[in-house]
């Protein structure tokens, strides 16, 4: 298992950004596994197309959902905005505002959960918030679920794309807990619900998403993934990784 606790969003190099932009030029169905962007790093993506194949949502829900339009490349701008927002919130509130995001496909392996990035949410109401309520972690996921799942399918198509894409689930772990998750020290929590479960006082501008990045052998072998049961609990006892 690859652990990347040292790979924080602001530390990604320009070389990785260029590669991300190249990969985001592919369509959802042919996406190569790799890419993650945050803040200014996402800017290059706009020059290279991107992903996106969902139909547009009703305008009345525009404040509740981070939309991915119905054409190839439509996912790049929402991803950039989500990453910029994540950076802003994370800088202000740190790990308290963050939850780690995992995705599993019941059609592929119901015990395997793939780490696909992090969400962040505003923790205080004020001049930096657009909504009138503090977002919950579940609202942060549901409002960005389409974007997260499209990205997850492109990150690891071997396990989450194609025939495995129709049974995807999103699960959460405490923020910045990748190492503890790999050591079976934390459980995961399933995110359920629809837009109807999002408060009318919520605004998607108050949450962000920072995608996971695959580098080197991870492109073919995959990055961090953990084994859990149907309740999100570790299948094996906790252990310590030799440092």
């Amino acid at each position: 298992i690859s652990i990347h606790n040292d790979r924080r969003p602001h530390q990604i190099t320009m070389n990785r950004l260029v590669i991300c932009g190249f990969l985001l030029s592919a369509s959802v169905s042919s996406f190569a596994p790799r890419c993650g962007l945050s803040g200014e790093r996402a800017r290059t993506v706009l020059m290279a197309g991107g992903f996106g194949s969902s139909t547009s949502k009703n305008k009345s829900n525009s404040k509740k959902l981070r939309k991915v339009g119905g054409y190839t490349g439509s996912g790049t701008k929402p991803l950039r905005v989500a990453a910029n927002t994540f950076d802003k919130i994370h800088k202000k509130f740190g790990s308290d505002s963050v939850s780690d995001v995992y995705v599993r496909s019941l059609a592929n392996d119901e015990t395997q959960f793939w780490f696909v990035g992090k969400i962040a949410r505003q923790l205080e109401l004020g001049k930096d918030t657009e909504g009138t309520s503090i977002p919950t972690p579940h609202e942060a996921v549901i409002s960005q679920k389409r974007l997260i799942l499209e990205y997850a399918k492109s990150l690891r198509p071997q396990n989450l794309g194609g025939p495995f894409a129709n049974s995807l689930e999103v699960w959460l772990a405490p923020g910045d807990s990748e190492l503890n998750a790999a050591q079976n020290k934390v459980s995961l929590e399933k995110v359920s619900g629809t837009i109807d479960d999002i408060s009318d006082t919520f605004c998607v501008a108050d949450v962000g998403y920072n995608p996971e990045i695959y580098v080197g052998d991870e492109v073919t072998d995959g990055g961090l993934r953990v084994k859990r049961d149907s309740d999100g609990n570790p299948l094996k006892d906790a252990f310590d990784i030799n440092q």
Side-chain angles (χ1 to χ4, degrees):
I1 298 176
S2 300
I3 309 297
H4 311 298
N5 261 3
D6 60 334
R7 210 163 67 212
R8 296 274 68 83
H10 59 279
Q11 295 174 321
I12 307 305
T13 65
M14 183 56 67
N15 286 337
R16 292 183 189 176
L17 175 59
V18 171
I19 295 174
C20 288
F22 170 76
L23 289 175
L24 281 170
S25 66
S27 67
V28 173
S29 60
S30 62
F31 227 116
R34 166 93 157 87
C35 209
L37 6 149
S38 183
E40 292 301 313
R41 297 186 306 282
R43 186 174 298 171
T44 301
V45 171
L46 296 181
M47 299 184 293
F51 60 82
S53 59
S54 71
T55 58
S56 297
K57 301 294 182 181
N58 191 294
K59 289 184 178 180
S60 64
N61 294 328
S62 61
K63 290 186 177 181
K64 291 186 176 183
L65 294 177
R66 178 153 282 128
K67 296 180 181 178
V68 178
Y71 58 93
T72 299
S74 62
T76 56
K77 183 176 180 180
L79 186 62
R80 183 198 65 180
V81 173
N84 278 331
T85 304
F86 177 97
D87 276 358
K88 180 178 67 175
I89 296 173
H90 183 265
K91 181 179 180 180
K92 183 175 182 180
F93 296 109
S95 295
D96 288 343
S97 65
V98 174
S99 296
D100 291 354
V101 182
Y102 292 78
V103 171
R104 76 164 171 174
S105 169
L106 294 173
N108 177 248
D109 185 345
E110 62 182 18
T111 67
Q112 188 153 266
F113 296 71
W114 293 87
F115 174 70
V116 299
K118 301 169 181 283
I119 55 101
R121 60 193 179 93
Q122 293 281 0
L123 297 182
E124 297 176 355
L125 297 178
K127 61 182 180 64
D128 293 329
T129 55
E130 298 291 336
T132 56
S133 63
I134 297 174
T136 68
H138 281 228
E139 286 178 325
V141 170
I142 295 171
S143 64
Q144 304 178 100
K145 188 174 181 180
R146 177 68 180 180
L147 181 66
I148 292 171
L149 291 182
E150 291 292 352
Y151 187 84
K153 289 187 288 185
S154 70
L155 181 71
R156 190 63 185 170
Q158 303 96 318
N159 302 90
L160 303 175
F164 309 123
N166 292 327
S167 59
L168 299 181
E169 297 177 344
V170 181
W171 294 66
L172 293 178
D176 300 333
S177 65
E178 297 99 310
L179 182 60
N180 283 334
Q183 295 178 125
N184 296 330
K185 294 181 178 181
V186 298
S187 297
L188 307 184
E189 177 185 359
K190 184 179 178 180
V191 177
S192 301
T194 68
I195 188 173
D196 293 332
D197 298 300
I198 297 178
S199 170
D200 290 337
T201 57
F202 169 90
C203 183
V204 71
D206 296 332
V207 300
Y209 170 60
N210 186 48
E212 164 67 329
I213 299 166
Y214 280 178
V215 294
D217 292 341
E218 294 171 337
V219 176
T220 54
D221 298 341
L224 174 63
R225 63 272 198 184
V226 297
K227 292 286 188 177
R228 297 292 188 269
D229 63 20
S230 59
D231 294 320
N233 298 316
L235 293 178
K236 296 182 179 182
D237 293 337
F239 65 97
D240 290 315
I241 296 176
N242 294 327
Q243 300 296 328

